[in-house]
Amino acid sequence: MDAIRKKMKSLKDETDGLYAIINKFEEEANEANRQSDQADCDIRDFGKKVHNFEIAFEETLDKVNKANEGFEEKDKMHREVESDISALTRRIMLMEEEAKKAETTLANTVTKLAMSSKEADEVLKKVKVVESKCMNNEVTLEELDKNQRHTSKMASDNEQKLDELSRKLGVQEEELIRAVDRAELAEKN
């Protein structure tokens, strides 16, 4: 009977040990299932994050493409403005050359006018001295007087041309200032 009791006790101990092992494995299985569920949740969360990152990436890529298009458009406008500025600069240089020529012509005309005026003064002095002698000199005097009026008219015409050129130069300078302002604005944008 003792042997049966020992056998029963050993079977009971063995059964209790097996129940303990079963409980341990069930706890481990529950823990593994919990970790598996947590991993599934993490995978789902990471999937959502990846999806959100993909959407954000696509939106950012669209923004970058739009920004590149805007940059290319602004760069094209900038090149056009630079081309306009170059053309205006060349035009101003040509106008400055024309103004220098006009100034030279004006200076020559003024010199000629001064010389003609001096000659007319000398002739008038001679005419006063020799007035009684020469009736023919009156004709010469009238011709010189006509020349003087013609020269005065030329000087007046040249002054008008100078005023017109000065006005055109002022307009071109204003256009240049506006073009430079547009270029600076384009560069800032």
Side-chain angles (χ1 to χ4, degrees):
M1 276 257 193
D2 281 339
I4 293 176
R5 275 190 192 163
K6 282 184 184 179
K7 186 71 173 167
M8 295 264 302
K9 184 171 180 166
S10 91
L11 284 174
K12 183 180 176 197
D13 288 341
E14 205 175 300
T15 304
D16 288 342
L18 288 175
Y19 278 130
I21 291 172
I22 289 171
N23 285 338
K24 179 182 161 193
F25 282 137
E26 283 179 352
E27 287 175 6
E28 287 177 3
N30 288 339
E31 179 64 23
N33 287 337
R34 189 190 62 74
Q35 288 178 354
S36 172
D37 291 342
Q38 183 63 40
D40 287 343
C41 287
D42 290 345
I43 288 170
R44 212 173 34 249
D45 290 345
F46 285 132
K48 288 179 183 177
K49 286 181 182 178
V50 167
H51 181 70
N52 288 338
F53 283 141
E54 287 174 349
I55 291 172
F57 173 75
E58 289 175 3
E59 290 174 355
T60 304
L61 190 60
D62 288 342
K63 288 178 184 177
V64 166
N65 289 337
K66 287 179 183 177
N68 281 339
E69 289 174 5
F71 172 75
E72 289 172 3
E73 195 174 303
K74 296 292 182 184
D75 188 46
K76 182 179 178 184
M77 287 174 56
H78 177 70
R79 278 189 253 121
E80 289 175 0
V81 167
E82 282 183 345
S83 174
D84 291 345
I85 289 172
S86 296
L88 289 172
T89 302
R90 286 191 300 275
R91 188 171 177 192
I92 286 172
M93 289 171 62
L94 291 173
M95 292 184 84
E96 285 175 350
E97 289 177 17
E98 288 179 15
K100 286 179 184 176
K101 288 178 184 176
E103 287 175 4
T104 304
T105 305
L106 179 63
N108 290 339
T109 304
V110 168
T111 304
K112 288 178 184 178
L113 178 61
M115 292 169 80
S116 296
S117 178
K118 187 176 179 182
E119 289 174 4
D121 288 343
E122 290 174 4
V123 168
L124 284 174
K125 287 178 186 176
K126 289 178 183 178
V127 166
K128 286 180 183 177
V129 172
V130 189
E131 190 176 31
S132 61
K133 290 182 183 178
C134 298
M135 204 42 115
N136 291 335
N137 285 345
E138 286 182 17
V139 173
T140 305
L141 180 62
E142 287 176 11
E143 287 176 7
L144 290 172
D145 201 25
K146 284 180 185 177
N147 284 341
Q148 182 184 6
R149 279 184 255 144
H150 179 68
T151 306
S152 296
K153 186 175 187 278
M154 284 176 48
S156 173
D157 291 344
N158 284 335
E159 285 178 6
Q160 289 176 353
K161 288 178 184 177
L162 177 62
D163 289 342
E164 184 177 332
L165 285 173
S166 296
R167 183 187 57 77
K168 286 180 181 179
L169 181 60
V171 169
Q172 290 300 321
E173 287 175 345
E174 290 177 9
E175 287 179 8
L176 176 61
I177 289 169
R178 285 188 294 229
V180 168
D181 289 344
R182 286 192 310 247
E184 289 174 357
L185 183 63
E187 286 177 358
K188 287 179 183 177
N189 290 334

